[in-house]
Amino acid sequence: MSCRGVQKLLQGAGSGPAGWTRTPAAYCCCRFRSGPSRARSGPGSGSGPGSGSGSINVFNREMKRRQKNWAAVLKDGHQYDYLREEVGSRVADRVYDIARTFPLALDMGGGKSYIAEHLSKALKLGRRSEIPTRSVVADEEFLPFRENSFHLVVSSLSLHWINDLPRALSEQIHRVLKPDGVFVGAMAGGDTLYELRCSLQLAQMEREGGFSPHVSPYTAVTDLGNLLGRARFNMLTVDVDDVQVHYPGIMELMTDLQGMGESNCAWNRRSMLQRDTMLAAAAVYKEMYGNPDGSVPATFQILHMIGWKPHESQAKPARRGSATVSFRDLAKVSRTGGADRS
């Protein structure tokens, strides 16, 4: 499909300049935007802190937009891409594990096209020609595409900043996928940066007599399968990668998080840390988690997920109680097989 064909899928969204990649027949890269025209307003919604209407409202999406925009224009911004590059390559590997071609794909929160870049590298020795890409500036919580538009949706390190993840999975990702389409995603999990979180809390308790959150909350791996099931995805796969990066100290870690655009943007965060608290946190970090060479580790728990939009052609589980062989008979089958071999 041409870029013009991709543009027909839009529902009034602005689009950026066309590029190219060597992945499915067309590749649409959805980049982050959050603003008044798309934000929900009122208590408990995306416009400010609070509760009331049932809408989940953990993150200040406008602040996250500013953080990402600031990180995007850094002159040395490429030095902070290492984590996104690594996770993007792992998502691309999972796409290639699926023995199927995808005529049209959507990359949610594509950023600098970390997934597409690795798909392209894998095909440089291959057999396909260059394929058009259309960049669209949009909000992941309000995808501006028609229903049943894409054969594949991918996302890398973007979903953990979405306020209402159940709604994003069901009313956005599931909606834009074609029947028998597949979603392949990766997001930060609940144990991400546990070393930093613990060190900051202990230091703040000791120096200030209490603590407030300084690391954003993340989804637990135990909840992810339930969320995908509630979003009506079939044939689910969920697995976990722990990516550990070593830094000279806590300040270098926090500097890199800022350069990635991954600073905390929860509504209940504290904007500043006292100097004494930071010094104490650095000491606690090295004492509890430090390596013999003086560096400190930071663990990023990456949750990978694959889910398929239902279609009548997909394999279905057998009816409950329809089995013709009992598990108690497996030992007999094994013994019989061993006797035949002898």
Side-chain angles (χ1 to χ4, degrees):
M1 181 180 289
S2 66
C3 286
R4 182 175 301 174
V6 175
Q7 194 169 15
K8 290 180 181 179
L9 300 174
L10 299 175
Q11 298 174 339
S15 58
W20 65 271
T21 185
R22 297 183 180 219
T23 183
Y27 196 88
C28 187
C29 187
C30 183
R31 302 175 191 276
F32 183 88
R33 181 186 73 182
S34 177
S37 63
R38 291 286 182 177
R40 290 163 284 179
S41 59
S45 68
S47 63
S51 61
S53 67
S55 297
I56 299 173
N57 184 31
V58 178
F59 304 115
N60 183 341
R61 296 279 292 173
E62 177 62 25
M63 170 163 285
K64 179 50 59 181
R65 181 187 65 83
R66 293 197 300 267
Q67 291 175 353
K68 286 181 176 288
N69 287 345
W70 180 86
V73 297
L74 291 175
K75 291 183 179 179
D76 57 349
H78 63 278
Q79 69 177 338
Y80 305 112
D81 290 341
Y82 51 87
L83 182 64
R84 296 188 184 279
E85 292 282 358
E86 176 63 27
V87 177
S89 70
R90 300 186 185 194
V91 174
D93 286 343
R94 285 164 170 79
V95 173
Y96 276 104
D97 285 341
I98 302 172
R100 177 180 297 189
T101 58
F102 302 99
L104 185 61
L106 169 67
D107 186 348
M108 276 183 60
K112 299 178 183 178
S113 300
Y114 300 101
I115 302 175
E117 177 183 355
H118 289 281
L119 291 172
S120 301
K121 287 178 180 178
L123 289 169
K124 281 181 179 176
L125 301 177
R127 302 159 296 279
R128 304 184 192 178
S129 60
E130 295 180 3
I131 309 167
T133 296
R134 173 69 66 178
S135 295
V136 178
V137 179
D139 190 333
E140 298 102 323
E141 294 187 345
F142 302 91
L143 295 180
F145 303 105
R146 301 181 190 277
E147 187 176 358
N148 302 328
S149 296
F150 297 95
H151 303 84
L152 167 70
V153 174
V154 294
S155 178
S156 180
L157 296 184
S158 174
L159 293 177
H160 55 273
W161 294 119
I162 288 180
N163 274 312
D164 196 343
L165 184 57
R167 179 182 177 276
L169 290 171
S170 62
E171 299 183 20
Q172 303 301 316
I173 299 174
H174 189 278
R175 176 182 61 83
V176 302
L177 274 172
K178 292 179 178 290
D180 203 31
V182 61
F183 167 58
V184 183
M187 60 185 290
D191 288 339
T192 294
L193 298 176
Y194 70 87
E195 305 98 337
L196 176 63
R197 181 185 293 110
C198 184
S199 300
L200 288 172
Q201 289 180 355
L202 290 174
Q204 199 169 10
M205 286 285 291
E206 192 271 331
R207 294 301 171 95
E208 303 178 29
F211 68 88
S212 57
H214 293 281
V215 178
S216 293
Y218 299 105
T219 301
V221 63
T222 52
D223 297 329
L224 192 55
N226 291 333
L227 290 175
L228 290 168
R230 287 169 52 190
R232 308 183 307 282
F233 284 101
N234 283 346
M235 299 186 292
L236 306 180
T237 302
V238 176
D239 62 288
V240 182
D241 278 343
D242 282 341
V243 179
Q244 194 169 83
V245 184
H246 298 270
Y247 296 90
I250 192 172
M251 294 306 299
E252 288 79 8
L253 166 59
M254 297 180 76
T255 298
D256 277 23
L257 291 174
Q258 188 177 29
M260 297 176 194
E262 292 293 314
S263 299
N264 187 7
C265 70
W267 284 109
N268 62 350
R269 73 196 181 282
R270 278 185 58 179
S271 58
M272 297 293 292
L273 270 172
Q274 296 181 10
R275 182 174 181 273
D276 286 349
T277 302
M278 279 300 305
L279 293 175
V284 170
Y285 207 138
K286 282 188 178 290
E287 178 66 24
M288 292 184 63
Y289 306 106
N291 299 314
D293 61 0
S295 64
V296 295
T299 301
F300 298 89
Q301 184 186 55
I302 308 301
L303 309 183
H304 292 275
M305 68 206 90
I306 301 176
W308 294 78
K309 188 167 181 177
H311 188 264
E312 60 184 10
S313 65
Q314 293 173 351
K316 296 179 177 60
R319 181 176 54 84
R320 185 180 179 88
S322 62
T324 58
V325 178
S326 171
F327 280 110
R328 290 176 297 184
D329 298 331
L330 292 179
K332 299 177 183 178
V333 173
S334 178
R335 285 196 298 268
T336 302
D340 291 342
R341 286 192 298 273
S342 62

